Amino acid sequence: MFDKILVAIDTSASAKDVFDKALFLAKASNASLMLLHVLSGEEQGTVNIPILPRQDYYPYPVMSKKTLEFNQQQWEVLEKQGLELLQSCTDEATLAGVSTEFIQSPGNPGQTISNLASTWGADLIVVGRQGLSGLSELALGSVSNYVLHNAPCSVLTVQHVLERNTESAEDESSRVSASD
């Protein structure tokens, strides 16, 4: 079925679900996994400023030293979180008997995923989808949409499902029952 599965994970709430589905497929088809985390200021939950790894990436030398230091610190935090996530997932997959390697790379997420799939020879890309639409998708872009249209192989998108607040639903149903 599949021999090489590229798994694009980030630090969002849906990353575990994306990884779990990819691991299930890898075990079922005896495939190897390549885990990828793309370092990008676009990642959900990151500071909404350009985060670049070194001062020479900034086109304008007028940025304050404090801003540059802050950006450098944020970049280092992103790198550390990404590597910890990748190592944790790699350990889990290896324990499950799946050959796994990982890479963390800075860049545009959609392009980086598609390019790695091509150079690594992936049969399948597993990527999460946050469910943005309308102006949000237009303003922020859609990594999964880019990958779907530019990938050299099949793509499985894993929809992030928001958990419903079950407590408020139970409270509401008990109030309705009590008033009858």
Side-chain angles (χ1 to χ4, degrees):
M1 186 195 249
F2 301 112
D3 292 321
K4 298 172 99 177
I5 301 173
L6 173 61
V7 188
I9 56 177
D10 58 17
T11 57
S12 71
S14 64
K16 181 67 173 144
D17 196 32
V18 170
F19 170 73
D20 287 345
K21 286 186 175 30
L23 181 58
F24 175 81
L25 287 171
K27 287 188 332 190
S29 60
N30 200 28
S32 61
L33 293 177
M34 170 66 79
L35 308 178
L36 170 65
H37 177 246
V38 180
L39 291 166
S40 168
E42 299 171 33
E43 189 164 341
Q44 189 173 13
T46 61
V47 178
N48 195 14
I49 58 172
I51 301 173
L52 301 170
R54 296 190 319 260
Q55 183 173 352
D56 57 321
Y57 280 102
Y58 290 93
Y60 305 107
V62 294
M63 280 193 156
S64 74
K65 185 176 181 177
K66 286 184 181 184
T67 302
L68 290 172
E69 288 172 359
F70 176 77
N71 285 359
Q72 179 65 35
Q73 290 170 352
Q74 291 301 308
W75 185 265
E76 289 169 4
V77 167
L78 269 178
E79 279 183 315
K80 184 177 184 223
Q81 287 174 338
L83 288 173
E84 288 171 355
L85 174 66
L86 289 167
Q87 188 61 60
S88 171
C89 291
T90 299
D91 292 346
E92 184 178 339
T94 302
L95 197 61
V98 175
S99 173
T100 306
E101 55 189 308
F102 68 81
I103 186 169
Q104 178 168 260
S105 177
N108 175 288
Q111 291 174 351
T112 303
I113 294 165
S114 296
N115 290 343
L116 181 59
S118 181
T119 58
W120 187 61
D123 302 315
L124 176 69
I125 299 171
V126 181
V127 64
R129 181 176 183 277
Q130 296 300 321
L132 298 175
S133 62
L135 291 177
S136 297
E137 184 174 15
L138 182 62
L140 299 174
S142 170
V143 173
S144 58
N145 187 45
Y146 181 92
V147 173
L148 278 168
H149 287 92
N150 294 282
C153 59
S154 297
V155 177
L156 171 64
T157 57
V158 178
Q159 176 66 44
H160 178 62
V161 179
L162 298 175
E163 292 183 26
R164 292 179 51 198
N165 187 346
T166 56
E167 184 177 304
S168 27
E170 290 171 5
D171 291 346
E172 182 65 29
S173 66
S174 64
R175 276 185 285 197
V176 170
S177 302
S179 65
D180 290 338

